Amino acid sequence: VLDVFNLFDRNLYYSNTFYFAIILEYIFLKVLGTSWTLRQQFGTIALDNKEVILMGCCNKSLTRKSLLYKTGVEYGDYTINHVQGCSHGCKYPCYASMLAKRFGTVKTYEEWICPVIVSNTIELLNKELPKLKDKIKSVHLCFTTDPFMYGYEDICNLSIDVIKLINSYNLPCTALTKGILPIELADLSKDNSYGITLISLNEEFRKKMEPGSAPYLDRINSLKKLHDKGCKTWVSIEPY
């Protein structure tokens, strides 16, 4: 057990369930003599090159004074970023993490990859949507985080609730992810559109450059399932 905790080289926050799962995997692997590696920051274990995802949970939260804002990005009108940070941990230059460091929101890469939920998200939307609904053409999720962060069920569930609430004002949403698009999105407004980001189809490259993100084939399959259900779907290839 001590060997497991010695692998953690930074002060991260995980649920007891996460640690228990890690310890169990460690014991079984020691007995079986199987090679293993632990990607501690993402709640992911790789067993003989097969990834096993332990669902993460945001144990920290923050509050904000506002959420919806106008964006100048070509495929966005208004946007919302209801999570701070991103566990996907992309190793190429990420403007979101660089801006967060520049303005002091986070100080390190390690802090950036530990996502923090905005706990008053729904409360703020209930205040802002009635005021802005006539100005908004669409709302994008998200530009400085990922709405369907891989392995984080609480973030995914909150994002679905956000989309439902925005749709209740007859406003469409767009969503872009390096995670898995939930099939539940197919039950929401058909005016919404959902996308995945791809920079390669090489899994070894993904593990090196986007270590906490969903495998490429899993992303594509989740997109196809929504497409087959009649949803508008798209792919963003960036950075290229």
Side-chain angles (χ1 to χ4, degrees):
V1 173
L2 288 177
D3 286 343
V4 173
F5 288 97
N6 286 337
L7 288 170
F8 288 76
D9 59 358
R10 47 184 172 267
N11 294 321
L12 301 180
Y13 296 84
Y14 292 97
S15 65
N16 290 334
T17 303
F18 174 83
Y19 285 118
F20 182 67
I22 293 293
I23 293 168
L24 282 181
E25 291 290 353
Y26 179 76
I27 293 172
F28 282 126
L29 289 166
K30 278 291 186 180
V31 172
L32 295 173
T34 307
S35 62
W36 69 294
T37 58
L38 172 67
R39 283 162 49 197
Q40 66 270 28
Q41 66 269 45
F42 304 116
T44 304
I45 295 178
L47 306 179
D48 289 337
N49 297 321
K50 183 177 181 181
E51 292 182 344
V52 178
I53 302 302
L54 303 175
M55 298 304 291
C57 179
C58 295
N59 292 311
K60 289 184 177 181
S61 65
L62 58 85
T63 59
R64 287 181 175 160
K65 295 181 179 179
S66 64
L67 272 181
L68 288 168
Y69 69 91
K70 182 77 173 177
T71 177
V73 179
E74 68 273 14
Y75 56 86
D77 178 35
Y78 275 72
T79 189
I80 178 174
N81 297 295
H82 51 291
V83 181
Q84 176 182 290
C86 180
S87 67
H88 293 161
C90 299
K91 295 299 182 68
Y92 45 74
C94 169
Y95 78 92
S97 64
M98 289 190 293
L99 282 175
K101 290 178 184 177
R102 177 181 177 184
F103 291 103
T105 306
V106 300
K107 295 181 180 179
T108 64
Y109 173 84
E110 288 75 17
E111 186 179 359
W112 173 255
I113 61 176
C114 296
V116 181
I117 279 182
V118 178
S119 61
N120 61 335
T121 291
I122 301 300
E123 177 187 347
L124 287 174
L125 284 178
N126 280 324
K127 292 179 180 179
E128 295 177 354
L129 282 168
K131 299 176 182 178
L132 296 172
K133 62 180 181 179
D134 294 331
K135 298 180 180 180
I136 297 174
K137 296 179 181 179
S138 66
V139 179
H140 180 69
L141 288 74
C142 305
F143 281 122
T144 64
T145 188
D146 194 299
F148 301 110
M149 212 169 291
Y150 192 43
Y152 282 83
E153 187 175 8
D154 49 353
I155 292 175
C156 293
N157 290 338
L158 178 58
S159 296
I160 292 174
D161 289 341
V162 165
I163 294 173
K164 286 180 179 178
L165 182 53
I166 294 171
N167 287 166
S168 73
Y169 285 84
N170 295 317
L171 298 172
C173 292
T174 60
L176 181 64
T177 186
K178 292 176 185 173
I180 303 296
L181 290 164
I183 193 62
E184 290 84 356
L185 295 173
D187 298 326
L188 306 185
S189 172
K190 287 300 188 284
D191 290 329
N192 298 333
S193 63
Y194 310 110
I196 59 171
T197 297
L198 294 175
I199 61 168
S200 174
L201 293 178
N202 185 309
E203 274 299 297
E204 292 305 313
F205 182 79
R206 178 193 65 82
K207 292 174 184 177
K208 179 180 178 181
M209 300 304 294
E210 299 176 338
S213 66
Y216 292 130
L217 187 58
D218 291 349
R219 293 185 215 178
I220 294 169
N221 285 338
S222 71
L223 189 72
K224 186 178 186 303
K225 288 178 181 178
L226 290 180
H227 178 78
D228 291 345
K229 291 281 188 178
C231 297
K232 299 176 184 176
T233 55
W234 52 295
V235 176
S236 173
I237 301 177
E238 59 175 330
Y240 180 74

